[in-house]
Amino acid sequence: MDLRALAACQHQVDIDLGERSYPIVIGSGLLGDPAVYAGLPKARAALIVTNTTVEPLYAARLQAALAPHYPQVHLVALPDGEAHKDWQTLNQIFDTLLGQGCDRKTVLFALGGGVVGDMTGFAAACYMRGVPFVQVPTTLLSQVDSSVGGKTAINHPLGKNMIGAFYQPQLVVCDIDTLTTLPARELAAGLAEVIKYGPIADMEFLGWLEDNLDALLAGDKAALAHAVKRSVEIKAWVVSQDEREGGLRAVLNFGHTFGHAMEAGMGYGVWLHGEGVAAGMVMAARLSRRLGLVDEEFVQRLIRLIDRAGLPTRGAIIASRDNAGHYLQHMRVDKKAEGGEIRFVLIAEPGKAVVRSAPDSLVREIIDVCCR
Amino acid sequence: MDLRALAACQHQVDIDLGERSYPIVIGSGLLGDPAVYAGLPKARAALIVTNTTVEPLYAARLQAALAPHYPQVHLVALPDGEAHKDWQTLNQIFDTLLGQGCDRKTVLFALGGGVVGDMTGFAAACYMRGVPFVQVPTTLLSQVDSSVGGKTAINHPLGKNMIGAFYQPQLVVCDIDTLTTLPARELAAGLAEVIKYGPIADMEFLGWLEDNLDALLAGDKAALAHAVKRSVEIKAWVVSQDEREGGLRAVLNFGHTFGHAMEAGMGYGVWLHGEGVAAGMVMAARLSRRLGLVDEEFVQRLIRLIDRAGLPTRGAIIASRDNAGHYLQHMRVDKKAEGGEIRFVLIAEPGKAVVRSAPDSLVREIIDVCCR
């Protein structure tokens, strides 16, 4: 084994939230290593929550790694996909916990992507009013975004992530190896959230992404580990400033206001979350441009990178009549909206985001231009 | 108006939980007084959550008192009773919030008993990951117990209060006048939780209850206000020491381990919560006696007071065969159980509680003696 190569893809990032602080470990071969889980709270039982796609790939390996630490390691495999991020599926976790007589020291492990992580985290927040949990994200999107920061939720028919909690994990284990089994479409969708960190916080990182995009798409582990590490560092810094999304944290939603409207408008699961975010970033960048905040070269640079990643650069058409009106309607029920006023995350200057409102007429214009 | 009499039934108790501190106001005529709600967070909308029994009695009055503070005051009336403390009913609150386009500054008001309070609090904890809420308890039980301390939850078919959150209200408004419309059975059930505070914390208060029980049962407002105030003071002290039930707080569950088993065993709603607690206190007192912690005179004194209040002093029979076995089975899935070991709240000496386990054989004996 080349130890230098190994060292190059082993990282640790600490999320500083006082007594709710926790480490994120990033690297190769972590998921199946019992030593990774040695410092967790002791309990009689652990429950691995995964989905039917991830289970055959990694569940047995995680189960074996947890066996030295917990007398009982239970497992529940949920149906796969955003369409199942609902109460009914969440309840499968509670049914398993109660059916197995799990007490309130039980540790939950979320093994899978963002949907599994969000649901497991919310189940952990609610089960007996709170049990410890660990994120073991197996998709790029969940490694760089959803598994960090403690946002957990399920969807409601009238809105995405409407029912949830701020609840921090004990540990996040980002095993880069799991990204090699990821379908190309999902890897690309994850890159949308990676790309996001450039415009909002670090244009040097955007340059690095432009230089290393081919390596990332080819599954180069050192490149992936660096991309995950830098994304997580930026997110960790933002979250530690604003755990409960009072202000600053909203910048992490660059591209999400438009993206959520597309996801809700088409029905959850038609586009991947990252695909909505990708097209949403283009729309938010165009709105920033229209407001005179950035120049056309910045918009084009972002579009080129998103396009190279194989992601949509045009918004989805969610209604055959009055498409823009439908977007606005969805965006008004977004959690970020206040008093019916939509709050957009815009680029104030390359590398810096700002949250502000915009006139409906302008937003309609952008939607009409971007959704063709 | 007799101002001395008024002063005698106006109290304020502060719950000290750092940045989550809040006041409990106790008195006559509070519910409909706009001044009571003046200090709450500003918002475009408020939502009153109540049930179909309480709505015709108090909803219009609360709505009028909130109108000066919130441009929109929405209302949702849930079906009444513990049997409806489930996800389906909780979802009616989310449906209303999302259907009305309520944003994450919306303030929720729980107008009703413990079930309404628990569900509204849990909905507030989860809606958009947390919105402010206010408790306006209209039953004795909820005024002295469930509305104070931030425990919120719904039931699961396999256990009571299994899904919930610790989430503190902004304010608790205990309007003593609402107790005058309470059915006698519910007033008595509330007294079970009032009586509880004697054995676990304050034998002087138990003496006061013995002297004033007739006044309380007759609906004397000054007596009720004092009983609520003293109960809330004791609970506030315990909760401020142990917000998330790490240890001390468990003493508040005196009578509840047996009580929950009865409620679950018979099906929620057959007995009122306070009725289960009453019989459960007798069983826990007998277990304390059997372990040599208290004398028979203490047990008899407690039984006499519970009996005078019109509450059950015998445990319910929840299974025609192996009744004790069924109790044990229910108690093992209780949240307080750890690693399958049941934790009983016992009386170490009159006025002082202790949490400990007991041999199954002894517990079976107590159940057999108490459930005849």
Side-chain angles (χ1 to χ4, degrees):
Chain A
M1 184 187 281
D2 182 349
L3 281 173
R4 274 179 315 162
L6 180 70
C9 47
Q10 297 282 12
H11 305 284
Q12 177 169 336
V13 179
D14 294 308
I15 308 277
D16 180 14
L17 294 167
E19 61 179 20
R20 291 182 303 288
S21 296
Y22 56 93
I24 302 166
V25 293
I26 302 156
S28 182
L30 296 178
L31 188 151
D33 181 359
V36 168
Y37 311 100
L40 292 170
K42 301 286 163 244
R44 250 176 82 245
L47 171 67
I48 299 171
V49 181
T50 186
N51 67 36
T52 50
T53 308
V54 175
E55 182 191 5
L57 298 171
Y58 302 113
R61 205 181 303 174
L62 180 57
Q63 230 160 350
L66 296 179
H69 303 296
Y70 304 97
Q72 299 168 20
V73 182
H74 306 293
L75 179 90
V76 60
L78 310 176
D80 189 10
E82 182 83 28
H84 298 285
K85 193 171 145 180
D86 56 13
W87 173 260
Q88 202 186 344
T89 310
L90 184 76
N91 211 31
Q92 289 188 31
I93 306 176
F94 297 132
D95 288 345
T96 307
L97 286 164
L98 286 163
Q100 299 289 349
C102 290
D103 65 24
R104 63 179 166 184
K105 299 205 158 174
T106 309
V107 184
L108 269 55
F109 290 79
L111 175 68
V115 173
V116 165
D118 280 8
M119 285 203 291
T120 309
F122 187 43
C126 298
Y127 185 61
M128 296 190 176
R129 301 198 185 91
V131 296
F133 88 111
V134 173
Q135 294 272 17
V136 189
T138 60
T139 66
L140 182 57
L141 185 120
S142 55
Q143 291 191 358
V144 300
D145 184 44
S146 56
S147 71
V148 180
K151 278 190 177 186
T152 72
I154 56 171
N155 298 328
H156 183 281
L158 293 177
K160 198 175 145 71
N161 293 328
M162 283 297 168
I163 300 161
F166 288 98
Y167 196 69
Q168 304 295 342
Q170 304 284 318
L171 168 72
V172 182
V173 181
C174 298
D175 189 331
I176 297 298
D177 299 350
T178 61
L179 305 183
T180 60
T181 54
L182 214 54
R185 186 182 167 194
E186 280 202 44
L187 188 71
L191 282 173
E193 296 276 7
V194 174
I195 292 169
K196 174 187 83 178
Y197 292 107
I200 66 165
D202 185 353
M203 288 300 284
E204 205 175 297
F205 183 48
L206 194 77
W208 183 91
L209 287 170
E210 288 170 330
D211 295 343
N212 291 276
L213 189 69
D214 296 338
L216 291 168
L217 290 170
D220 180 273
K221 286 187 190 176
L224 284 166
H226 177 79
V228 171
K229 172 182 162 271
R230 187 67 197 125
S231 299
V232 162
E233 278 174 351
I234 295 170
K235 180 150 188 184
W237 181 81
V238 173
V239 169
S240 67
Q241 303 296 307
D242 177 23
E243 185 178 359
R244 297 181 72 90
E245 203 165 25
L248 176 66
R249 184 165 176 166
V251 303
L252 296 172
N253 288 304
F254 178 54
H256 285 60
T257 306
F258 290 106
H260 285 169
M262 285 181 243
E263 285 182 272
M266 289 187 287
Y268 297 119
V270 177
W271 271 17
L272 295 176
H273 175 68
E275 293 167 342
V277 169
M281 286 194 290
V282 174
M283 293 166 87
R286 280 207 189 282
L287 183 55
S288 308
R289 164 87 178 111
R290 187 70 176 72
L291 289 162
L293 301 169
V294 294
D295 60 20
E296 184 62 23
E297 167 48 25
F298 170 82
V299 177
Q300 291 303 325
R301 189 178 167 190
L302 184 62
I303 290 176
R304 275 196 304 276
L305 185 61
I306 289 172
D307 186 56
R308 276 179 64 202
L311 289 163
T313 56
R314 293 195 173 280
I317 291 171
I318 63 171
S320 53
R321 294 181 69 159
D322 191 21
N323 182 53
H326 282 80
Y327 266 82
L328 286 166
Q329 204 177 316
H330 282 293
M331 293 192 288
R332 265 189 245 291
V333 298
D334 193 277
K335 286 189 297 305
K336 261 76 68 187
E338 273 177 23
E341 189 180 74
I342 307 162
R343 308 289 290 166
F344 293 96
V345 183
L346 302 176
I347 303 303
E349 58 183 90
K352 193 164 170 236
V354 66
V355 181
R356 50 168 289 186
S357 58
D360 271 11
S361 58
L362 213 60
V363 177
R364 281 182 175 274
E365 188 190 311
I366 296 296
I367 295 166
D368 289 340
V369 167
C370 290
C371 304
R372 280 184 306 190
Chain B
M1 184 187 281
D2 181 350
L3 281 174
R4 274 178 315 159
L6 179 69
C9 47
Q10 298 283 10
H11 305 285
Q12 178 168 335
V13 179
D14 294 308
I15 307 279
D16 181 13
L17 293 168
E19 61 180 20
R20 292 183 301 287
S21 296
Y22 57 91
I24 301 166
V25 292
I26 302 156
S28 182
L30 297 178
L31 188 151
D33 181 358
V36 168
Y37 311 100
L40 291 171
K42 300 287 163 242
R44 250 177 83 243
L47 171 67
I48 299 171
V49 182
T50 186
N51 67 36
T52 49
T53 309
V54 175
E55 183 192 3
L57 298 171
Y58 302 113
R61 206 182 302 173
L62 180 57
Q63 229 161 350
L66 297 179
H69 302 297
Y70 304 98
Q72 298 168 21
V73 182
H74 305 294
L75 179 90
V76 60
L78 310 176
D80 190 8
E82 183 83 28
H84 298 285
K85 193 171 145 179
D86 56 14
W87 172 261
Q88 202 187 345
T89 309
L90 184 75
N91 210 30
Q92 288 188 31
I93 305 177
F94 297 131
D95 288 345
T96 307
L97 286 164
L98 286 163
Q100 298 289 349
C102 289
D103 65 24
R104 63 179 168 185
K105 301 206 157 173
T106 308
V107 184
L108 268 56
F109 290 80
L111 175 67
V115 173
V116 165
D118 280 8
M119 287 204 289
T120 308
F122 187 44
C126 297
Y127 185 62
M128 296 191 175
R129 300 196 185 93
V131 295
F133 88 111
V134 172
Q135 295 271 17
V136 188
T138 60
T139 66
L140 182 57
L141 185 121
S142 56
Q143 291 190 358
V144 299
D145 183 43
S146 56
S147 71
V148 179
K151 278 190 177 184
T152 72
I154 56 171
N155 298 328
H156 183 279
L158 294 176
K160 197 174 146 73
N161 293 329
M162 283 297 168
I163 301 161
F166 288 97
Y167 197 70
Q168 303 296 342
Q170 304 284 317
L171 168 72
V172 181
V173 181
C174 298
D175 189 330
I176 296 298
D177 298 350
T178 62
L179 306 183
T180 60
T181 55
L182 214 54
R185 186 180 167 196
E186 281 201 45
L187 188 72
L191 282 173
E193 296 277 7
V194 174
I195 291 168
K196 174 187 83 178
Y197 293 106
I200 67 166
D202 185 353
M203 289 301 283
E204 204 175 296
F205 183 48
L206 194 78
W208 183 90
L209 287 170
E210 289 170 329
D211 295 343
N212 291 276
L213 190 69
D214 296 338
L216 291 168
L217 289 170
D220 179 274
K221 286 187 189 177
L224 284 166
H226 178 79
V228 171
K229 170 180 163 273
R230 187 67 196 126
S231 300
V232 163
E233 277 174 351
I234 295 170
K235 179 149 189 184
W237 181 81
V238 172
V239 169
S240 68
Q241 303 295 308
D242 176 23
E243 184 179 359
R244 296 181 72 89
E245 204 163 25
L248 175 67
R249 184 164 175 166
V251 304
L252 297 172
N253 288 304
F254 177 54
H256 286 59
T257 306
F258 291 106
H260 285 168
M262 286 181 242
E263 284 182 272
M266 288 187 287
Y268 297 120
V270 178
W271 271 17
L272 295 176
H273 175 68
E275 291 167 343
V277 169
M281 287 193 290
V282 174
M283 293 166 87
R286 280 208 189 280
L287 184 56
S288 309
R289 163 87 178 110
R290 187 69 177 70
L291 289 162
L293 300 169
V294 294
D295 60 19
E296 185 62 23
E297 167 49 23
F298 170 82
V299 177
Q300 291 304 325
R301 189 178 166 190
L302 185 62
I303 291 176
R304 275 196 304 275
L305 185 60
I306 290 171
D307 185 57
R308 277 180 62 203
L311 289 163
T313 57
R314 295 194 171 282
I317 290 170
I318 64 172
S320 52
R321 296 182 67 159
D322 190 21
N323 182 53
H326 282 79
Y327 265 82
L328 285 166
Q329 204 177 315
H330 282 292
M331 292 193 289
R332 265 189 244 292
V333 298
D334 192 276
K335 286 190 300 303
K336 260 76 69 186
E338 273 177 25
E341 189 180 75
I342 308 163
R343 309 286 293 163
F344 293 97
V345 183
L346 301 176
I347 303 304
E349 59 183 270
K352 191 161 170 238
V354 67
V355 180
R356 52 169 287 188
S357 59
D360 271 11
S361 57
L362 213 60
V363 177
R364 279 181 175 277
E365 188 190 312
I366 296 296
I367 295 167
D368 288 341
V369 166
C370 291
C371 305
R372 282 183 306 193

